[in-house]
Amino acid sequence: MVTVDPKAGPKYIYRFTEGNAQMRELLGGKGANLAEMTNMGLRVPPGFTVTTEACMAYLASGRWPEGLEEEVEDHLRDLESDMGKRLGDPDDPLLVSVRSGAKFSMPGMMDTVLNLGLNDESVRGLARQSGDDMRFALDSYRRFVQMFSKIVMEVPSERFESKLDEYKKRMGEDAEDTDLDASDLDALLGDFRAIYREHVGEEFPQKPRDQLRLAIEAVFKSWNGKRARDYRRQNKISDDLGTAVNVVAMVFGNRGMDSGTGVAFTRDPATGERVPYGDYLPNAQGEDVVAGIRNTLRLHELENLDPKSYGELRKAMDTLERHYRDMCDIEFTIEKGKLWILQTRVGKRTAFAEWVMAYDMLEERLISEDEALLRVDANRLEQLFKPVIKADVKATARSIAKGLNASPGAAVGKVVFSADEAEEQGQRGEPVILVRRETTPDDYYGMIRSQGILTSAGGTNSHAAVVARGEGIPAVCGADGIKIDLTSRSFSANGTTVAGGEFVTIDGFDGAVYVGKLELEASKLERARRGDENARKEKIWKAFARFMGHADGARRLRVRANADTPEQAQNARERGAEGIGLCRTEHMFLGEERVAAVRQMIFASTREEEEEAYAQLLPLQRDDFVGIFRAMDGLPVTVRLLDPPLHEFLPDLTSLAVEVALAKERGENVADQERVLGKVRELHEVNPMLGLRGVRLGIVKSGLYAMQVRAILEAACLVQKEGCDARVEIMIPLVATREELRQMREELEPVAGEVLSREEVELSHLEWGTMIEVPRAAVTAREIAEVAEFFSFGTNDLTQMGFGFSRDDIGKFLSMYEQRRLLPANPFVTIDRPGVGRLMRMATEEGRAANKDLHLGICGEHGGDPASVAFCHEIGLDYVSCSPFRVETARLAAAQAALADATTGKRDV
Amino acid sequence: MVTVDPKAGPKYIYRFTEGNAQMRELLGGKGANLAEMTNMGLRVPPGFTVTTEACMAYLASGRWPEGLEEEVEDHLRDLESDMGKRLGDPDDPLLVSVRSGAKFSMPGMMDTVLNLGLNDESVRGLARQSGDDMRFALDSYRRFVQMFSKIVMEVPSERFESKLDEYKKRMGEDAEDTDLDASDLDALLGDFRAIYREHVGEEFPQKPRDQLRLAIEAVFKSWNGKRARDYRRQNKISDDLGTAVNVVAMVFGNRGMDSGTGVAFTRDPATGERVPYGDYLPNAQGEDVVAGIRNTLRLHELENLDPKSYGELRKAMDTLERHYRDMCDIEFTIEKGKLWILQTRVGKRTAFAEWVMAYDMLEERLISEDEALLRVDANRLEQLFKPVIKADVKATARSIAKGLNASPGAAVGKVVFSADEAEEQGQRGEPVILVRRETTPDDYYGMIRSQGILTSAGGTNSHAAVVARGEGIPAVCGADGIKIDLTSRSFSANGTTVAGGEFVTIDGFDGAVYVGKLELEASKLERARRGDENARKEKIWKAFARFMGHADGARRLRVRANADTPEQAQNARERGAEGIGLCRTEHMFLGEERVAAVRQMIFASTREEEEEAYAQLLPLQRDDFVGIFRAMDGLPVTVRLLDPPLHEFLPDLTSLAVEVALAKERGENVADQERVLGKVRELHEVNPMLGLRGVRLGIVKSGLYAMQVRAILEAACLVQKEGCDARVEIMIPLVATREELRQMREELEPVAGEVLSREEVELSHLEWGTMIEVPRAAVTAREIAEVAEFFSFGTNDLTQMGFGFSRDDIGKFLSMYEQRRLLPANPFVTIDRPGVGRLMRMATEEGRAANKDLHLGICGEHGGDPASVAFCHEIGLDYVSCSPFRVETARLAAAQAALADATTGKRDV
């Protein structure tokens, strides 16, 4: 019986029979599931779980928390009495495994130590109890020494592996570890302990209780290991959770051919199909499967080897799937024909599989439609539309290297080795794959011109990976089989050499690298989206169509798109956009036929010259708007009046200054160029982001916004007369004070009114509003709302000004900031809740308080980021607006946010 | 009797007997004071006041508020019965004056209409009642027509004046208006009415009640006239106050030589001396004094003309001064030997006079010490330290032109006509006065190199005036007697021509312009401050010394200075600074001997090279700090670690690019230059304000801040060993997240600790804190305060980022923004309360809530602006820090803010 002194503080240990699946916070996912399965009646080895609270208490103080030692001892004694064995008993020793288990499955933490409890004495007892199988006992002991040394004491595992290889080589070229006999293993153990002594500076611990204490401490400490911290950062997991430690009585899969170990998935995690899936390795312990030292069997082959165990396993799989109502990933061991379930969790799956599974489970009535919708990850939806290597090509192609699937999608291009080449060839329209050891911020300009990126170093959070995902460029990173030789401008992999300029194909879904041009095709979902009838028969499309329909009914947030052209508008509408939340008008000042008029507008020295320029631009811009209003017939279009500073329409100061100086030096006539240079100098700004742009330009360059408003209204009238319904929202950017907006409206509304009365048209919807993108606008939203009909949060600028980060310049420190965790997350990807988010919340609440009819949206790039969409839902915006290709993502994320409100929150098993 | 229907809404009119001086909000200053004087028993003509509420109701609806018409009628009838005359009576008409009167005295609103009630009939009655003085009656009538036309109907007054001149000329070259006889005036009246008819399109109104109604409406409307609005904006007076209208029975100063009108001050408004001061004009109405059509007499000359009235006036002056407990400005009229007081208010005075008067009144026990302190204007204190033209020189010098006293101080310099010349000569050390019609933002670089600025156009709120005041440069603006001829590069004024390069002297205190170099001297107060014993005998010094002593006892806010060198620190300390709130370290990276090391630091390709550079900089910077700590012995010094981006220490990109391109073109060896250019390009930022600077630099350029901290601590130890008390506060700039500050402290505190233990020194005060200058830092102050010992608001940057205004670029639109009132005030001068101020308040409250020991200050330029100091007091900061030359201003403002808390608020009579 466990005895806990009531004065001793919190309870730090739970037996499996005391826990359940809901206790993940305290027991970790593994411990909670072991408890759950124990209580379900599945055959789980007995054991107990040291709580995450014990871990955090240890990490906070650097000492074992008071009472923990006694609790461990109590529970050990209970376990000994349950099993009828004692730890370290030279006759019949109890052996245990020690495993970490945090709330969220998390690589990078201390993994598993098996066979703990073995020492020079108890190894003999183990042999005795296994029918005098000394070979088995010694093999278990050497595994324990090896694992304990590596995982608990951080002795480099290569030392042990090469020693083992030495022994195997003596047996012959193809010898396996099973070929070593007891005396080989005994000698090997001597060598292993010598390695331990050499590295640790003392003898391998012989007392099982010391072994256990060290192992538990190592698990605690591994919570703060670098890889674990990086993983948490990448996956936005709190540092304050801590890990639990599971101590479980050992069962042995390495006791002969009637034993073995395996992993089973209740459905196929790659395709989502409802078939059992997994691996089985006879006569082995769990780490052998992971290490891949022998080829595993496919799970169904177990049916022939051990039909009884297989049947039991299938039954357990069904039980678990029905119990957890999701696909489960199960670790099991068969010891002398007896099946033990060692672990289960809801299994990871591909983006494709999660849609198919959710659809199937919904059809099977295992889950509800709401639950199904919450089962798919909005962050991964875009992947399903990315191009893939044609299935039959892929099936037969042989990859030359394999890296991490750092950014989804397949890509084909010519190999280049520098950002310069990538930029130069990319601009010429050549498809290129940028191949580098790793990338730096200085390579950015070349990366964005590439079809794909391939690096030989760096993980899924390396610079290359982060940029590639951000830009939607397929990437394979850390393909360490690739050796780049910059002097010969080639790389080699697995014996193949590829020169610069040769074609390669990379598969960002699985990290494979191929020589040559492999044929790509649109993904099934993309083909279906485009109307391909065959593709529409696929389950992935059925799932997508059904879930998106359900999402549209479930969400409260409307979804609009950012679109500047009729084509983009059309595309957005097809993807379900319910309006345009941001139509930028910058590009309407670009293009050959407009350059002259724009120059004239900028250089005008009289009011007349300026008006002439506007007169030239007006019909061109009107045509631009006509196409957009037609495409969005019946849906609102928010047009932002010109935002960037005028110097963006002129040449770069430094280049032009050099050009003029050189021409002068050569005695050329440079009068014209000098005039331009003079203007460029005059308009030059030290900090253009904070300069004469947005509404400031509208105020100073009187007439500019009036021309734009005239073009918008004339276009709206024209489209209206065609029988369409043009719904116009005019947005003034960069407002910082109420007066700016009030005076601009005072100036522009009569211009609009004049067009409408001249054209004798009435619009069903004409509103005037502003971006909230300057921090002061957020802080004084109450005042501004009095003169606005809508707010649209410009979260890009709000983030830039809120943090004081220029996106153009942040590259110099952003990666260091992410690495050192100086930022909670990249604030340009996900809204920074405590800072920028708080400003948004203030502006929303106070804006609405001042003007109950105010409607609010967001048009920064955050509008397509699921976490940010959830935040927008939470603070009560009316809509989000995002890139057209993210409209579905936003629709889904909005629905999930609404459902999370209504149900218990995120799925959490 | 006035009858008011209780259901008719608010009471819109008060008789003088019903009001008092406290009712300025409702009755305006003039009305409240007329009522006060009436009730004091002074001889004031009877009348009534239409309230400011009536004005605002009229302006809101565009119609006379309900009930007002009836109230006017009731009060008119009362007035008629009081006076025993009726308005428009052809036998004995009542005449009234109509005058505006807002809460604050405010030029630009409708002034005065006298003699209202005259028409073609009643003019005869007036003549009869004046002893058949038809000439007097007709003169009164023509004055009324002229004033009514101009002021109520906006007929250009030149039309009337030139017509009057025509008539006078017929009388002879030097004829005055008094030379016109009745028949002349009759004929003139015919012409005046014709002018009226021509401009207004109808006959001059003959019904007195119509005249009154139009006059009252005109007063109402003048509240929103452009000049009035501009004045309110400049003087930060709310638009919502409205103006009252005073209707007063007429008395006549133009009824012969025993009549007259004048203005009296109870003390000299220029010097503050306790002597009566003012002007008197016999046989004239009030507007003649203002118009200056005849030379006025000095007030004391009235004693000879009319000793009885003079005696009564002196008595009234004493009564009023004692009653108002301040210097009064009084308008009076003598009608046939009978004195009438027409108006009084607390009189305006010079900055010098306000100190002297407050001191005298305190000595006279008229006011308390607290009141005296509230009587002086902290905004004007700096003026008293500005150089002046030597008194004896000034007394005899003849000015060639007179403009507005736009920025105080006298200046001598050579005339230049362009910013280029000003910059070029100014940099050579030549004193120059920039003479322009007006200035634009493009002239800024030349303006700041000038000793003084003189413009021929523009008012006290013109670009030239605003910049000059901001930069502390003396300026005379709008000297319209000056004609600038740019082709001959000269200007002429009053017959004198001054060529470019000649010396002129300007007096920014009174707007005078002199040819030649007039001798300047330090002001009395400045001389006294520097220890001149004679100057210390002056009353202005006694006042200053006494009041500042009292201020230091009264204020709660501590005052520190921003100082970067030992000299500045010493100066600040002499001016009463209680510490340094901002010691910038930028200049410690400049200077010939440091250039090489700084370059090496920037160009370092290895850690060793970089450390070598730091090793060179360390002793130099340590010496810099030693001087500062010595100067501030016993007082805290807040040192800000390096803030600007590194490219500021390298050449300008464009200039260097041109230089290199040209050198290359000429075939020169440019390898070195190209290396520098490469680095400049690499470090170039699009928005340096939002780039790699502040703590970001400290993080990326590991070792830089450590070097600075080492230099600071080594200096502190050295000074401590000399027996001084070095009190060190180390400030990390530009922090946006808690982690930035936490990690920097984690890195730097051990560096400091190492120096202290090596040197075996203990400091009495060593704190670590941050600037709050990024909006996000203000919004997340709760988190940041957990790892900070102090906050210092960097309101320059907080304003830049809060508004999205780059100070370097805002010149392109700031003046237009001020003109169009798009900003509540210049936010770089006075803290923008609703926006930036709100962020500061949040950060203060939430920072303190998270860390009760947190101390808070401000080190932006706002720290020396009285309105901003009051705000800092209000939100509860611990100190303000400002430029050394503003320390006294801040001490005074801080005391006034504290007293305003304690007493009834600002003086308000």
Side-chain angles (χ1 to χ4, degrees), chain B residues 209-265:
Chain B
R209 276 169 167 76
D210 289 350
Q211 294 169 356
L212 183 60
R213 189 188 166 103
L214 286 166
I216 290 173
E217 269 189 46
V219 174
F220 286 164
K221 285 180 192 157
S222 70
W223 176 254
N224 279 337
K226 184 174 175 341
R227 265 188 68 208
R229 278 188 290 131
D230 288 351
Y231 181 87
R232 287 200 295 276
R233 164 153 181 65
Q234 173 77 357
N235 292 276
K236 292 167 193 157
I237 295 172
S238 161
D239 284 340
D240 300 331
L241 296 173
T243 181
V245 186
N246 300 292
V247 178
V248 192
M250 279 298 302
V251 290
F252 295 95
N254 56 342
R255 292 186 68 175
M257 288 310 289
D258 57 351
S259 301
T261 189
V263 177
F265 294 85

